[in-house]
Amino acid sequence: MASSDDDATKGLQVDLFHPETEREPGDGNIQKWGFDVHPVVFPAALLIIGLFVVVTLVLGQQAATVYSDIRGFFEGNFGWFYLLAVNIFIVTLLFFAVSKYGKIRIGGVEAETEFSTFSWMAMLFSAGMGIGLMFYSVSEPLYYFSNVPGFYSAEAGTGGAGVAAMTQTFFHWGFHPWAIYGLVGLGLAFFSFNRGLPLTFRSIFWPLLGERIYGWPGHVIDLVSVFATLFGLATSLGLGVAQINTGLSYILGSSMLGVANVPTGTIPQIVLIAVVTGIATLSVAAGLDGGIKRLSTLNLYLMFALLGFLLVVGPTLFIFGAWVQGLGAYFGDLLTLSFFTGALGDGSSTVHAWTVFYWAWWIAWSPFVGMFVARISKGRTVREFVIGVLVLPSLFSTVWLAAFGGSGLFNSLAGDGAVLATYNEVGQTVAMFAMLEQFPIGAISGLVAVLLVVTFFVTSSDSGSLVVDHLTSGGKHDVPRAQRIFWAVTEGGVAALLLYGGGSASLNALQTAAIATGFPFAIILVVMCYTVYLGLKNEYDVLASEEFKERIDEMTDEEFDIDTSGTEVVTDIRDAGAEVSDD
């Protein structure tokens, strides 16, 4: 589109849709030493991070106990609220998609997509779920197989327990977590790209706070978001390298190949953190298109390769049967499971230990994943966004879980039970490798799995650095390379420091602290359902207004293609001579 066309459509968006404010994203930033940072959020975030690390290391087990007590308090007293809130998020997203608001385009009627659909989906999945599925896809079904959730009446170790295991795992990795990410991503994308507000969490509350989002209310919101994002990533990085470390030791050591004795423990894991952080730093320096996009695409190809391999050499018929039966049970029990608290009978232990834990964890991570999803989703309609973020990743997750978790269950139901025995003996970090060992070239597929875990951690670190950059730069879309590298190194440094100073106790303490932030965020997200509705309603009202129609009439004389998708509301404006591309 020519520059004059850009001016015409940009002016349309600014004149009719942007709020009346003199402020611009990052307009008060400090620009020095290659950095472009918010004068309050950036230094305050560094101070809070430093204090938290010092206090956690100095207090050690005392800090771990306090964090654990906080987590237990919220899970025990507000588990019902977590369950209710996430159900509200699903209903809200579906309403936005099927209603008239589904036609609204993120970025305005002239916005074009920045990434192809495949690249978009790859980045969505890599940031949102990839590493978690690698970690839990085998271990979680095996746990339920031996410890049947109270919602079900099956006997442990039986086929009924296998159905319960698949259903419960599908539930935890299906629509609910993606609804959390989708709601946050939609809100951030809409208020940033359609309203021209900063790409930070504060902007979602413009309908309620107005100009005050640029003051301390907004600062506090962004600081909490930075805290949850950075420590969530640092904790996951520290815990995840344990899986990489254990996996390499299991594959290369006496358990499988016997070619090398890979040590396990704090020092090897710190070395692994350094390696992953180094790769992430290179990816960050390459930028969004050159770094995250390419690695995310590689992740998806590796996932497809590993999934295809298991479907061919594994118990193929059992996998497809488990997927269909598990999917049927999931859809059949979805409504009841979604509201099951266990308060009226046995089952509260599973709800608190797993479901509430997951919901709080997803909510705590929602600023990270939601902002990244928003950053890459410009040009998509609300309906396309919801389908892409809520439906497709959820269904793919069920296929993956059926293949990997189903293969682990098959070994227990029809095999020698070696996978479950190894899981009980060594722990969940080795469950996937023990499962792959049961099939041909298990060592090679296990090494591919280790590589996939590494690349997922790199993309998570890379994506997290990008998100923290936005939060600490006043919501600017483009930040200096040095700043992105700084946050990538900081994430790895925090994880390594905590692992070295306090071991797994410090990292677990931070995990529970991050989970505790899920409660205030859950309240914020419930309010956000209303603010996003207000924003979309206002957008649609403007699109249907006489003033907008007059502007469109003027633009039709300037050789624009005007698409109303069969309605009187304009959904797309493009230069008549331009070709539409999805790249």
Side-chain angles (χ1 to χ4, degrees), residues 42-88:
F42 182 83
L46 290 181
L47 178 62
I48 293 173
I49 291 167
L51 287 175
F52 200 94
V53 170
V54 170
V55 169
T56 301
L57 293 180
V58 171
L59 296 182
Q61 188 56 46
Q62 288 178 289
T65 301
V66 170
Y67 298 147
S68 182
D69 289 344
I70 292 173
R71 171 184 168 182
F73 172 78
F74 283 116
E75 289 181 349
N77 294 283
F78 297 101
W80 62 270
F81 178 73
Y82 285 112
L83 298 177
L84 181 61
V86 179
N87 289 321
I88 292 173

Side-chain angles (χ1 to χ4, degrees), residues 214-417:
Y214 295 103
W216 274 105
H219 300 340
V220 171
I221 292 171
D222 282 352
L223 281 171
V224 174
S225 301
V226 171
F227 179 84
T229 299
L230 187 68
F231 281 110
L233 284 168
T235 304
S236 294
L237 183 62
L239 295 176
V241 293
Q243 186 186 25
I244 299 172
N245 189 195
T246 306
L248 289 174
S249 178
Y250 188 84
I251 296 168
L252 300 178
S254 58
S255 298
M256 292 185 71
L257 294 177
V259 297
N261 181 22
V262 179
T264 59
T266 300
I267 300 302
Q269 289 171 22
I270 290 176
V271 172
L272 287 171
I273 288 176
V275 172
V276 172
T277 301
I279 300 172
T281 301
L282 293 176
S283 177
V284 165
L288 181 60
D289 190 71
I292 301 177
K293 175 184 173 181
R294 292 180 179 178
L295 278 175
S296 298
T297 302
L298 173 63
N299 286 345
L300 212 55
Y301 283 135
L302 286 175
M303 286 192 80
F304 283 143
L306 199 58
L307 177 62
F309 166 79
L310 196 57
L311 290 176
V312 172
V313 305
T316 307
L317 295 179
F318 181 89
I319 289 172
F320 284 116
W323 177 59
V324 172
Q325 188 171 353
L327 206 59
Y330 171 52
F331 285 128
D333 294 336
L334 181 59
L335 186 61
T336 308
L337 266 176
S338 298
F339 292 91
F340 181 72
T341 64
L344 300 179
D346 185 32
S348 60
S349 59
T350 301
V351 173
H352 291 161
W354 287 91
T355 306
V356 174
F357 164 82
Y358 272 135
W359 283 194
W361 182 245
W362 304 140
I363 291 171
W365 264 51
S366 62
F368 156 48
V369 180
M371 185 174 293
F372 182 73
V373 169
R375 175 64 181 81
I376 63 176
S377 298
K378 185 178 181 180
R380 310 283 172 179
T381 65
V382 171
R383 186 168 295 124
E384 182 184 4
F385 178 92
V386 173
I387 293 174
V389 176
L390 179 62
V391 180
L392 297 181
S394 301
L395 292 179
F396 180 79
S397 296
T398 63
V399 175
W400 180 272
L401 291 167
F404 286 80
S407 295
L409 293 176
F410 177 81
N411 179 259
S412 295
L413 290 169
D416 58 6

Side-chain angles (χ1 to χ4, degrees), residues 185-216:
L186 179 60
L188 286 166
F190 176 80
F191 283 104
S192 177
F193 295 127
N194 291 63
R195 291 292 180 268
L197 295 170
L199 185 57
T200 67
F201 215 77
R202 68 176 75 196
S203 296
I204 297 176
F205 298 93
W206 175 269
L208 299 180
L209 297 177
E211 290 277 357
R212 285 179 294 170
I213 68 167
Y214 295 103
W216 274 105

Side-chain angles (χ1 to χ4, degrees), residues 78-130:
F78 297 101
W80 62 270
F81 178 73
Y82 285 112
L83 298 177
L84 181 61
V86 179
N87 289 321
I88 292 173
F89 304 156
I90 289 184
V91 173
T92 301
L93 265 187
L94 292 177
F95 167 73
F96 290 154
V98 302
S99 69
K100 60 185 180 182
Y101 306 125
K103 297 188 289 290
I104 294 174
R105 188 173 300 278
I106 296 173
V109 289
E110 88 291 357
E112 298 182 13
T113 56
E114 186 176 357
F115 303 100
S116 69
T117 299
F118 182 83
S119 296
W120 181 56
M121 292 298 300
M123 287 189 283
L124 284 177
F125 206 78
S126 294
M129 284 293 166

